[in-house]
């Protein structure tokens, strides 16, 4: 895929914290970039933190010729592993927000020995309902309507999704922030990724994940119902569900202190002092 320096440049890799401390690799969600994590960084100052921009997001170096390699989330997982190789990362706590939780899952299935723990924040293995045994939160008609709106009136789509994702109790500033993040994206690329995310089904890939995982779910999330979070935690062989006492789909933006403390507790749990 390239030399270590070219990989670091290609995915706009940024590091902070003590190089010999436990390592967290933070992966951002749909429509965002690594700046999603900036409010959380002050609470992770004791750890080595690595951030990257996914292909097509933020300041990543993106070429249309690479679109075929990113026609599934496996391509995004390959990018994560390339960054790990470039930095020689081992024993990593891999943190994925929203769709990136499935990217983390796919990376961990390929190279389980590289990762100590997965953290899946507001994550779903499948957004589509599959009655009678699975509630993902959306019918095919729901998602088709959402994608049609995205194609026909992107600005309206950005407003609708940012308002729903942040929740009714969130401030207008948070909703406007997320909407602007959506609007800053290449719309065609984001729509392709949204199609992968919302119509994807990763349930059959959970059972053979060898890496322990914590599923962090907010009290109310319009994008991911609690049933989907429970399914994810229950079907990962070493999964556990932990509730975050806050609303909304974007706790890195709205509740960074709570999320930062929770991640710190997970670091302590996975790196016990002897």
């Amino acid at each position: 895929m390239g030399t270590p320096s070219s990989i670091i440049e290609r995915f706009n890799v940024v590091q902070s914290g003590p190089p010999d401390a436990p390592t967290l690799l933070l992966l951002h969600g749909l429509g965002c970039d690594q700046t999603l994590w900036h409010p959380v960084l002050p609470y992770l100052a004791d750890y080595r933190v690595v951030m990257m921009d996914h292909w097509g997001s933020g300041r990543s170096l993106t070429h249309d010729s690479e679109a075929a390699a990113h026609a599934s989330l496996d391509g995004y997982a390959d990018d994560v592993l390339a960054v790990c190789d470039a930095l020689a990362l081992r024993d990593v706590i891999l943190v994925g927000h929203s769709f990136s939780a499935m990217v983390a899952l796919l990376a961990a299935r390929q190279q389980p020995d590289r990762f100590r723990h997965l953290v899946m924040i507001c994550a779903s293995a499948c957004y589509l309902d599959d009655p009678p045994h699975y509630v993902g939160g959306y019918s095919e008609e729901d998602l088709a309507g959402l994608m049609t709106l995205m194609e026909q009136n992107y600005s309206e789509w950005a407003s609708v999704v940012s308002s729903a994702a942040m929740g009714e109790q969130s401030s207008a500033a948070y909703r406007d922030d997320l909407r602007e993040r959506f609007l800053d994206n290449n719309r065609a690329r984001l729509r392709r990724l949204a199609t992968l995310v919302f119509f994807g089904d990763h349930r059959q890939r959970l059972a053979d994940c060898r890496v322990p995982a914590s599923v962090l779910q907010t009290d109310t999330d319009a994008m991911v119902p609690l049933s989907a979070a429970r399914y994810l935690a229950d079907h990962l062989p070493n999964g556990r569900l932990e509730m975050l006492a806050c609303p909304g789909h974007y706790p890195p933006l709205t509740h960074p202190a709570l999320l930062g403390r929770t991640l710190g507790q997970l670091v302590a749990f996975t790196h016990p002092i002897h």
Side-chain angles (χ1 to χ4, degrees):
M1 185 177 281
T3 65
S5 60
S6 68
I7 294 296
I8 291 169
E9 180 183 15
R10 181 180 179 192
F11 297 108
N12 188 32
V13 177
V14 175
Q15 301 184 72
S16 64
D20 57 346
T23 300
L24 294 93
L25 175 51
L26 308 181
L27 307 178
H28 63 81
L30 182 73
C32 295
D33 58 19
Q34 64 181 264
T35 62
L36 172 79
W37 298 106
H38 284 183
V40 186
L41 291 182
Y43 306 97
L44 302 176
D46 292 336
Y47 312 115
R48 182 186 184 187
V49 175
V50 180
M51 300 180 296
M52 61 180 287
D53 290 337
H54 283 306
W55 183 86
S57 300
R59 297 174 62 189
S60 64
L61 302 180
T62 303
H63 303 285
D64 288 337
S65 61
E66 301 162 341
H70 296 84
S72 74
L73 294 190
D74 295 276
Y76 294 84
D78 290 341
D79 297 340
V80 171
L81 295 175
V83 169
C84 289
D85 282 337
L87 297 177
L89 298 181
R90 309 292 304 182
D91 210 27
V92 177
I93 298 174
L94 185 56
V95 182
H97 172 251
S98 194
F99 93 91
S100 279
M102 292 304 101
V103 175
L105 169 76
L106 298 175
R109 289 174 78 251
Q110 286 193 57
Q111 297 185 16
D113 294 337
R114 189 183 289 277
F115 303 103
R116 178 179 282 259
H117 202 82
L118 304 182
V119 183
M120 302 177 168
I121 303 170
C122 298
S124 176
C126 180
Y127 287 86
L128 277 169
D129 294 335
D130 186 12
H133 302 297
Y134 180 79
V135 178
Y138 299 86
S139 67
E140 286 196 29
E141 291 77 15
D142 292 334
L143 292 181
L146 199 62
M147 298 308 299
T148 298
L149 179 61
M150 191 178 190
E151 183 174 17
Q152 295 180 349
N153 191 335
Y154 186 87
S155 179
E156 178 65 16
W157 174 88
S159 296
V160 168
V161 174
S162 59
S163 294
M166 284 299 182
E168 295 180 357
Q169 297 177 341
S170 66
S171 70
Y174 287 132
R175 297 194 296 271
D176 290 345
D177 178 14
L178 185 58
R179 181 176 182 275
E180 290 305 311
R181 289 172 184 271
F182 289 153
L183 294 177
D184 283 343
N185 277 264
N186 178 293
R187 301 179 183 190
R189 290 190 192 120
L190 186 61
R191 189 175 188 278
R192 285 195 294 269
L193 178 56
T195 301
L196 290 180
V197 172
F198 290 126
F199 289 96
D201 186 351
H202 301 278
R203 288 176 293 169
Q204 299 304 314
R205 303 171 115 174
L206 302 177
D208 60 352
C209 179
R210 290 167 41 196
V211 182
S214 295
V215 178
L216 305 186
Q217 184 63 22
T218 58
D219 289 335
T220 55
D221 183 350
M223 310 303 291
V224 177
L226 182 56
S227 57
R230 280 206 181 104
Y231 183 97
L232 181 58
D234 289 346
H235 287 77
L236 287 163
N238 294 293
R240 67 187 186 113
L241 176 65
E242 181 171 344
M243 298 303 297
L244 291 172
C246 65
H249 189 66
Y250 284 84
L253 294 176
T254 58
H255 295 81
L258 174 62
L259 181 56
R261 289 194 301 267
T262 302
L263 291 175
Q265 292 166 0
L266 286 173
V267 173
F269 173 74
T270 60
H271 291 75
I273 299 174
H274 298 287

